[in-house]
Amino acid sequence: MYILVTSDISRGTGRFSMTLGLTTAAMSIGGTVSGYLGQALAQDLGYKQAFVILGVMSLVPALLYLFCIPETYIPPELSAMGSIQEGDEEEHDKTVGDTAAAVKSEM
């Protein structure tokens, strides 16, 4: 899944390989560091507190991902319509209405 996210993030920049390397390195380093950190916390504070602390630490990037990464998915029925040119708003609205009606009738 992260390859698709990396592709979306780096689209049009020509930096897919570099971005993929950075994300892979970050995941590998994070996995390694969390193991050592979890062990140290479990020895000092106990397993329950270590689990809670590492859980909160993993929640931070998950929330950043959820709220900071833009949505790039375009449904197939909308991607076929293309972009709206100035002055074509009425035709676009009609097409969207027809598409919505077709999708609703299929349900």
Side-chain angles (χ1 to χ4, degrees), residues 57-70:
M57 289 176 68
S58 66
L59 186 64
V60 171
L63 291 174
L64 285 172
Y65 177 80
L66 180 66
F67 293 112
C68 295
I69 300 293

Side-chain angles (χ1 to χ4, degrees), residues 17-103:
S17 296
M18 183 186 75
T19 310
L20 184 62
L22 288 173
T23 56
T24 303
M27 288 179 20
S28 300
I29 291 169
T32 302
V33 170
S34 71
Y36 288 119
L37 185 62
Q39 177 186 1
L41 289 172
Q43 285 178 348
D44 292 342
L45 304 174
Y47 287 105
K48 185 176 181 178
Q49 287 81 5
F51 181 78
V52 170
I53 291 170
L54 289 176
V56 169
M57 289 176 68
S58 66
L59 186 64
V60 171
L63 291 174
L64 285 172
Y65 177 80
L66 180 66
F67 293 112
C68 295
I69 300 293
E71 178 60 61
T72 58
Y73 175 71
I74 301 172
E77 62 270 4
L78 294 179
S79 65
M81 287 187 241
S83 63
I84 304 171
Q85 301 296 325
E86 191 170 324
D88 291 339
E89 290 89 3
E90 289 180 21
E91 184 175 332
H92 177 315
D93 292 342
K94 181 182 178 299
T95 307
V96 171
D98 293 344
T99 303
V103 170

